[in-house]
Amino acid sequence: MQRALAGSLMLSLGACPVGVFLMLRRMSLSGDAMAHAILPGAAAGFLLYGLEILPMTVGGLIAGVIVALGAGAVSRFSIQREDASMAAFYLISLAIGVLMVSIRGSSVDLMHVLFGTVLALNNEALLLIGGIAVVTLVALFLFWRALVAECLDPLFLRSVSRLGSPVHFIFLGLVVLNLVGGFQALGTLLSVGLMILPAAAARFWSQRVGPMCVLAVAIGFISCVAGLLLSYHAALPSGPAIILSAGAAYIASILVGPRGVLRSRLVHHRHRTA
């Protein structure tokens, strides 16, 4: 439980701010697609070395980078939009990955790859997740203004700076890195949940990007602690419990957040009566 808590908190530290930028770019479903896209690389590592962290991580990273760069290149050099090319790449990758795991492994191995085992994190996995969190925070610090500018007006950024195209691929690299880190704990199907749900919840509490990222990390922390406690006391799978806790925070934010449904209706009602 202590390792699971440390790993999930470090995941939140890196993944939640990345999720905010994904949401602001309207690429939330692209993040889900890239989460599935790492499966063939992880499956290749599994076929060669079994359930070893380093080979599966390297394989997942390579597969994710190939899919992200491939989909980005198709959208930039053809008439197809990025969401369509990403969907095509991820569907192919998901099918290949499931097929590769099924050839050699059992249904238990497939469940491990798809849903992860946060309670089985070891020192190597914690070091990997911690390293990814550090790299993510450093990259966000260095490219913060460019990332915010690209979210608001990518054409303006490209007209005034040479960072327009590079920062887009740097951001996609950060997404892949954090999905690979989340894969160790939550599997390919749930790793994107800790990235998107806290960010989506924070959107109902703030309009500014900086506070939104801080709130997303805080909501991620609370979700991880609540999910692990729920899994311990109710004998539930830890990964889904964490994501369900984040989902509960999202629903609560929709209802009671300053920009949520109830507050908006109350302000609208006051304006009408005034």
Side-chain angles (χ1 to χ4, degrees), residues 61-241:
L61 182 60
I62 293 173
V65 169
I66 290 174
V67 169
L69 293 178
V74 169
S75 65
R76 288 182 182 270
F77 299 112
S78 72
I79 61 172
Q80 193 168 60
R81 296 182 62 179
E82 190 168 31
D83 59 340
S85 60
M86 186 69 72
F89 273 89
Y90 114 76
L91 288 170
I92 296 170
S93 298
L94 181 62
I96 293 173
V98 172
L99 183 63
M100 291 172 68
V101 176
S102 301
I103 288 174
R104 175 177 169 180
S106 64
S107 58
V108 176
D109 295 325
L110 183 60
M111 291 289 288
H112 172 83
V113 172
L114 292 178
F115 297 102
T117 50
V118 67
L119 293 178
L121 293 176
N122 55 22
N123 291 335
E124 291 181 354
L126 291 179
L127 286 173
L128 172 70
I129 294 170
I132 290 173
V134 170
V135 170
T136 301
L137 293 178
V138 170
L140 290 176
F141 175 78
L142 293 176
F143 298 102
W144 178 265
R145 295 183 64 181
L147 286 169
V148 173
E150 196 190 20
C151 287
L152 300 176
D153 193 343
L155 295 178
F156 171 76
L157 177 63
R158 292 174 196 168
S159 66
V160 300
S161 173
R162 296 180 179 179
L163 288 176
S165 294
V167 80
H168 178 74
F169 288 104
I170 289 171
F171 175 71
L172 290 179
L174 292 178
V175 174
V176 172
L177 269 178
N178 282 275
L179 290 174
V180 169
F183 159 77
Q184 302 294 337
L186 302 172
T188 58
L189 295 184
L190 295 178
S191 60
V192 73
L194 195 58
M195 183 180 291
I196 296 300
L197 286 172
R203 190 74 173 89
F204 291 98
W205 297 91
S206 177
Q207 293 181 326
R208 299 177 59 190
V209 180
M212 203 182 302
C213 290
V214 174
L215 281 170
V217 171
I219 293 171
F221 282 1
I222 294 171
S223 301
C224 292
V225 174
L228 288 174
L229 288 175
L230 180 64
S231 71
Y232 179 77
H233 291 289
L236 297 175
S238 299

Side-chain angles (χ1 to χ4, degrees), residues 11-30:
L11 279 175
S12 300
L13 194 60
C16 292
V18 173
V20 170
F21 285 101
L22 267 178
M23 179 188 61
L24 292 177
R25 290 163 174 253
R26 299 180 181 179
M27 291 176 61
S28 300
L29 291 179
S30 297

